[in-house]
Amino acid sequence: MSDRLDTVFAALADPTRRRILSMLLEDDMAVSDVAEPFEMSLAAISKHLAILTRAGLISQDRHGRVKWCKLEPDALREASVWMQGFGQFEPVNLDAFERFLAQELPEGPDRG
């Protein structure tokens, strides 16, 4: 379990990846739609998506020629359970997590 948690927390450490998770809270998205608001190459976004996929935070499925990304909250639940062991954290509430991400990320078209 420790390696899995290390992977999840390493994935969450990057602000771009946290922003991607926030976007996927709204709905599943095509990779091209995930990449659109960022000022980086599609290849760079694909690397971030691969890290999130390896951590189990998202899944990617191909539908025809389009690759779709979907939030997978189970990895967050495992991290939440681990944090509960310290007695000061509650289980991950995805609505609260979305509010946290919204506070962490400044608004505007140039964020990312």
Side-chain angles (χ1 to χ4, degrees):
M1 181 163 166
S2 178
D3 288 343
R4 201 168 38 223
L5 280 176
D6 290 348
T7 304
V8 168
F9 285 122
L12 292 173
D14 184 274
T16 298
R17 292 191 286 270
R18 291 193 305 268
R19 184 165 171 219
I20 291 169
L21 290 175
S22 180
M23 292 165 57
L24 293 173
L25 275 170
E26 299 296 320
D27 201 1
D28 300 354
M29 297 177 75
V31 169
S32 58
D33 293 333
V34 171
E36 191 270 322
F38 295 96
E39 293 183 18
M40 62 180 73
S41 69
L42 185 58
I45 289 296
S46 292
K47 287 181 183 180
H48 284 294
L49 294 174
I51 291 167
L52 291 169
T53 301
R54 272 195 306 277
L57 293 166
I58 68 168
S59 59
Q60 296 184 64
D61 294 309
R62 187 171 294 280
H63 297 282
R65 296 174 60 174
V66 178
K67 194 179 240 186
W68 286 84
C69 301
K70 176 183 178 182
L71 183 68
E72 297 292 343
D74 287 342
L76 290 175
R77 284 191 192 98
E78 287 182 36
S80 175
V81 168
W82 180 83
M83 289 186 291
Q84 286 177 54
F86 293 95
Q88 52 189 327
F89 297 97
E90 295 183 19
V92 170
N93 174 309
L94 291 182
D95 290 333
F97 184 61
E98 181 177 17
R99 287 190 299 274
F100 167 77
L101 288 174
Q103 289 173 349
E104 287 288 305
L105 302 169
E107 292 299 321
D110 60 337
R111 55 181 208 184

